[in-house]
Amino acid sequence: MQFHTTLQSIIMTAEPAAKLAAFRTFYAAYQAGETVFEAAFTPVLFDEPSFASVCEIVLPQDVPRRKSPVTAEGQILLLHAITHIEYSAIDLALDHAYRFTGMPKAFYDDWLEVADDECRHFEMLHTLLEALGSRYGDLPVHAGLFEAGQKTLTLLERMAVVPRYFEANGLDATPQILERLLPIKNDPMIGRIVDALQVILEEEVDHVRKGDRWFDYACEAAGAEKSVYFDIVEQCCPGSYPRQKYLNVDARRAAGFSCSELNRMSTEKVC
Ligand SMILES: [Fe+2]
Ligand SMILES: [Fe+2]
């Protein structure tokens, strides 16, 4: 089984069950040492995200607003939004392994392990969505994460923006969602959502940490200082820092951010 060619077909697979099954077959082969790296491979630039045939894609401002999670409708909106993030995260983790050829084996080990986690996160949330009578694709989504991948085609930019910016933002966002859900977690469905989000939050720290490791690697390869992170984020997502919003300092520290970086991200001294 050819490594990059097979990853390309898995990324392009739209239907979630088919994508997950194809990835798991590939990952088992990879772990068994049965995949072969192509001698030369040129990755393609995808024109549209794989989910374009599953979900209606709208602008971020046109994504349905979240409602109180007390109602089933509010729970579906919340779960659909996070399920979509996980689906996008599967493609992005696979795209790191797909797009950056000739990297050390540890790089592929790391991002395929992340893709495997993202598949599990997707499934955990999708099971809850189905329990509420909905499924992935029922609501419109935005393509922000796909676009972030398209705009970051060097390893340095990719590691800065995808794991160290977007996945790290998830470390801040999830506790805030949990804070709203915990007081009502006696509701059985809310309890299940809380359990899933707690697992995801814990496991996402490792994704950001892996991003930190490969961002360091990319900085060294490019002869760049680690502070180039702020220039790259400013280019992709202008006005992101410094921010007043909550930063999950403990999780971010565990994932490799330094106090000086965290203080630079925030309008106040947080570390
Ligand atoms: Fe995830
Ligand atoms: Fe992740």
Side-chain angles (χ1 to χ4, degrees), residues 118 167 204 207:
E118 307 297 16
E167 289 191 281
E204 289 298 329
H207 301 179

Side-chain angles (χ1 to χ4, degrees), residues 78-79 81-87 89 114 116-128 167-175 177-178 192-208 248 251:
L78 173 68
L79 282 169
I82 309 175
T83 301
H84 175 58
I85 293 172
E86 299 297 344
Y87 186 95
V114 170
D116 194 44
D117 285 352
E118 307 297 16
C119 286
R120 201 160 29 75
H121 296 170
F122 174 86
E123 262 178 346
M124 279 162 41
L125 298 171
H126 199 252
T127 301
L128 300 181
E167 289 191 281
N169 283 346
L171 302 180
D172 309 326
T174 307
I177 298 169
L178 283 167
R192 292 173 72 188
I193 298 173
V194 165
D195 290 346
L197 292 182
Q198 281 172 335
V199 170
I200 290 173
L201 176 58
E202 200 179 304
E203 295 187 352
E204 289 298 329
V205 175
D206 180 62
H207 301 179
V208 182
N248 187 342

